[in-house]
Amino acid sequence: MSQVRRMAYLLVIIFAAALLTSKVWSVPRPPKFIGVASAEVPHSVAGYTAGKDLVMPPEVTKALGSGDVIERAYEGGGAVPIDFVLIGGTDRSALHDPRSCLVGAGWRLENDHTEAIPGANIAARSCRAVGNPNGPSQDMLYVYVVDGKIIDSPTQIRFAMLKSALIGQQGTPVYFLRFMCPLDTNEANAEANHASMQAFAKDMWESLKQKVSKT
């Protein structure tokens, strides 16, 4: 038997073995991601109320890929309205760093830190986006939940995003909750508004935690 024929037979055997192994050992795909439905997000929270979900701009929807996005404007519970965004998914498009978006849009971030949400037993990132002449400064809180666990440090967030970009989340549920309100130029008013936003975040978290976390 010629060397070429032996190699051809060997390749056929290897291919057949690989095909058989793939059929026997194939791992089923994870079930389709079913995140938080719009109906599960309360329209009344901490004295605030919201109307219909806001429509995301096409460029934002495209950037977030397969992520499920819910955005609402809540009013009436305090001196300023609160904008709430919930993103859920399982792949790299579900991980979103608001700091990068804000800096890219011309904002300057100040007072970026982790803080506890009173009464909620969770830690959130907090920062102020200032300095953009095209809009008012903003006060912001946000929470990442990856595979049911809250991550709040920049190092953890960047590592999760890097891991997702390199290998994907492989079915791991990821949620991003963001709370934002206009930043008052008076510091006392700004602190009072921040406390109202914390209370809003606490009640919203209590409404959603069974769905998004393992706490």
Side-chain angles (χ1 to χ4, degrees), residues 80-81 102 105-109 128-140 180-185:
V80 291
L102 290 168
W107 301 97
R108 183 177 70 256
L109 301 187
R128 292 178 173 182
V130 302
N132 190 327
N134 296 320
S137 297
Q138 301 288 333
D139 188 13
M140 183 168 64
M180 189 164 68
C181 70
L183 180 65
D184 199 293
T185 55

Side-chain angles (χ1 to χ4, degrees), residues 30-191:
K32 177 178 171 56
F33 173 74
I34 301 177
V36 178
S38 176
E40 296 177 285
V41 180
H43 282 265
S44 297
V45 181
Y48 286 83
T49 58
K52 295 181 179 180
D53 294 356
L54 302 178
V55 178
M56 301 295 290
E59 61 272 19
V60 175
T61 303
K62 181 178 179 180
L64 293 174
S66 61
D68 295 335
V69 185
I70 299 170
E71 181 177 14
R72 291 182 189 159
Y74 287 79
E75 299 181 344
V80 291
I82 294 177
D83 184 81
F84 172 66
V85 170
L86 172 64
I87 302 173
T90 58
D91 63 15
R92 67 198 66 186
S93 66
L95 280 172
H96 166 72
D97 189 345
R99 294 168 301 175
S100 298
C101 294
L102 290 168
V103 171
W107 301 97
R108 183 177 70 256
L109 301 187
E110 296 182 351
N111 196 27
D112 187 8
H113 64 281
T114 297
E115 67 182 36
I117 302 299
N121 193 31
I122 63 169
R125 290 300 297 180
S126 176
C127 67
R128 292 178 173 182
V130 302
N132 190 327
N134 296 320
S137 297
Q138 301 288 333
D139 188 13
M140 183 168 64
L141 292 171
Y142 57 97
V143 178
Y144 283 98
V145 187
V146 178
D147 196 20
K149 299 178 181 179
I150 296 171
I151 58 174
D152 57 82
S153 76
T155 300
Q156 289 176 307
I157 294 169
R158 293 186 186 113
F159 176 77
M161 295 186 73
L162 177 61
K163 178 181 177 183
S164 179
L166 292 175
I167 64 175
Q169 288 298 329
Q170 299 180 340
T172 299
V174 175
Y175 290 96
F176 170 72
L177 295 83
R178 191 213 69 192
F179 311 87
M180 189 164 68
C181 70
L183 180 65
D184 199 293
T185 55
N186 179 284
E187 187 60 32
N189 292 340
E191 291 182 1

